[in-house]
Amino acid sequence: NLKSGSGRGAHPACHSEPVKQIETTAGYLEHSMTEEGKRKRYQRIVEQLEALLVKSNDRTAHCATVAAVLHHKVPGVSWTGFYFIKGGDLVVDAYQGPVACQVLENHKGVCWAAIDNDATQIVADVHAFPDHIACDDRSRSEVVVPIHDSAGTPFGVLDIDSHRENHFDEVDGAGYEAVVRLLETTWNTPRSET
């Protein structure tokens, strides 16, 4: 967690919130927000998605929109997308990033752990995770949030990867959970056709 201190500045995309520049392992500068700044960013993303998701009743359109917004608004991510259970398999859906595994081996890896345990998974080092499925060998950390149907049963996941170890924290987990709650509400609440 980076705290504000000397060298603070305002990044226009962060609406003048305190930021600190850090050099990443890739060798470029990135702005890292305070925890409060990150919370506000996710709140703004959810508000933007609320306005966008009402424009369609189509789940694929919703997933494509969410993946695009998250992938381009959250720095440091390498892959953002969805997997849904189809015929007992976990199958890729809309995503942004490198080519994905089309079908994940049953009950192995971080995505299945989120479904099988019905809990968000925040993994600092995916290569240390038991039975990790490496769709992209460059991935180092991951957060996966289960998505529930109207009966409360997990039927898919929102999956986000980064090429950096320990990239995600509890604030990111809560932010992505808020996005999934929005999708669950949108998909599980009957809409009038008027």
Side-chain angles (χ1 to χ4, degrees), residues 5-135:
S6 63
R8 291 184 341 162
H11 187 273
C14 302
H15 300 289
S16 301
E17 296 183 20
V19 296
K20 182 177 178 182
Q21 287 187 341
I22 58 172
E23 180 112 15
T24 67
T25 55
Y28 56 89
L29 291 178
E30 176 185 287
H31 292 283
S32 181
M33 287 190 212
T34 63
E35 285 186 8
E36 183 60 23
K38 284 173 69 172
R39 281 186 195 88
K40 288 181 180 179
R41 176 180 59 209
Y42 284 112
Q43 182 180 359
R44 287 190 304 271
I45 288 170
V46 169
E47 290 168 0
Q48 179 182 9
L49 289 171
E50 284 174 335
L52 292 170
L53 296 183
V54 298
K55 297 179 180 187
S56 169
N57 289 330
D58 186 78
R59 188 181 87 181
T60 300
H62 293 164
C63 289
T65 300
V66 168
V69 169
L70 289 174
H71 197 72
H72 294 281
K73 298 268 183 177
V74 179
V77 300
S78 58
W79 196 91
T80 307
F82 295 88
Y83 281 89
F84 290 102
I85 297 174
K86 296 179 182 178
D89 290 325
L90 202 48
V91 180
V92 73
D93 200 88
Y95 68 91
Q96 298 271 314
V99 173
C101 296
Q102 292 183 30
V103 179
L104 299 179
E105 189 174 348
N106 283 344
H107 307 286
K108 292 190 175 190
V110 183
C111 290
W112 272 108
I115 288 176
D116 291 339
N117 297 309
D118 193 10
T120 297
Q121 306 292 304
I122 300 172
V123 181
D125 179 4
V126 294
H127 297 286
F129 192 87
D131 295 323
H132 169 64
I133 299 170
C135 298

Side-chain angles (χ1 to χ4, degrees), residues 133-153:
I133 299 170
C135 298
D136 178 357
D137 288 337
R138 298 169 297 174
S139 290
R140 293 293 177 257
S141 58
E142 186 170 8
V143 59
V144 181
V145 181
I147 303 170
H148 303 88
D149 62 19
S150 59
T153 304

